[in-house]
Amino acid sequence: PLRACPQNMGRLVPIALPPGELVPLLLGRPPVLIGEDGAGGPGATLAWDADRAAYRVRIVQAPTGLRQDVWVQPGSWRILATVLYRGGERVASVAYGQLDALGPAGPPTLLRMQTARPKIDLSLELRDVTLDASIEPDAFTPPCPLGMRAVELPCAATRGR
């Protein structure tokens, strides 16, 4: 059985993020860089992007060579997309769709993540979602495909049990 812990989520979604940042990313809250003097310091700018009909926040960390563009929906202030660059090269991006399908506080139901190295293009669609439902810890047990051997993947907190 596969438990829904941060380590196993990282195995299912092969994006190079610490496990604690992956779940917020899936829920529509991607990690955001901190500008040179804090998030609102001189390393951050705000502009209107008419093509996307959204605000674009650009955050620059000159010492690291990182830049992040984050598009924010006016009114709801939800993140529509983000792109991370290193030295002018696109490193990773995340785009969200159907932001309000599960209500104004629910997660987006469409998600597309792309990375340059390794080259990954992953699209996720949430279907048949129930928010805040209680689930049994062992409820998420995918069947093992025919011809494959099942291997237990314990979470860090359950090792040795």
Side-chain angles (χ1 to χ4, degrees):
L2 186 64
R3 298 189 188 283
C5 64
Q7 292 81 5
N8 286 338
M9 290 298 294
R11 290 178 181 114
L12 290 173
V13 181
I15 302 296
L17 278 176
E21 292 181 5
L22 180 59
V23 172
L25 177 120
L26 294 172
L27 295 175
R29 298 183 305 272
V32 176
L33 291 176
I34 295 176
E36 293 174 22
D37 289 339
T45 59
L46 176 68
W48 176 252
D49 185 332
D51 292 336
R52 292 192 185 214
Y55 293 106
R56 187 201 70 223
V57 179
R58 176 164 287 167
I59 305 164
V60 177
Q61 288 182 339
T64 64
L66 293 174
R67 181 185 100 213
Q68 184 178 19
D69 289 340
V70 181
W71 285 269
V72 180
Q73 185 179 54
S76 73
W77 311 115
R78 296 187 69 175
I79 294 177
L80 299 170
T82 184
V83 180
L84 182 66
Y85 300 89
R86 174 173 279 136
E89 181 183 338
R90 185 181 182 136
V91 175
S93 66
V94 179
Y96 298 102
Q98 296 185 5
L99 297 179
D100 296 322
L102 298 174
T109 56
L110 295 176
L111 170 69
R112 183 172 185 196
M113 297 181 276
Q114 297 175 295
T115 62
R117 290 188 203 112
K119 188 166 179 66
I120 295 172
D121 188 345
L122 176 68
S123 294
L124 298 174
E125 180 179 2
L126 300 180
R127 300 181 199 164
D128 194 19
V129 176
T130 303
L131 297 177
D132 299 323
S134 62
I135 55 173
E136 295 297 321
D138 294 327
F140 182 59
T141 307
C144 186
L146 290 175
M148 301 301 293
R149 183 174 56 89
V151 176
E152 178 73 27
L153 296 174
C155 296
T158 61
R159 283 196 187 148
R161 285 206 270 168

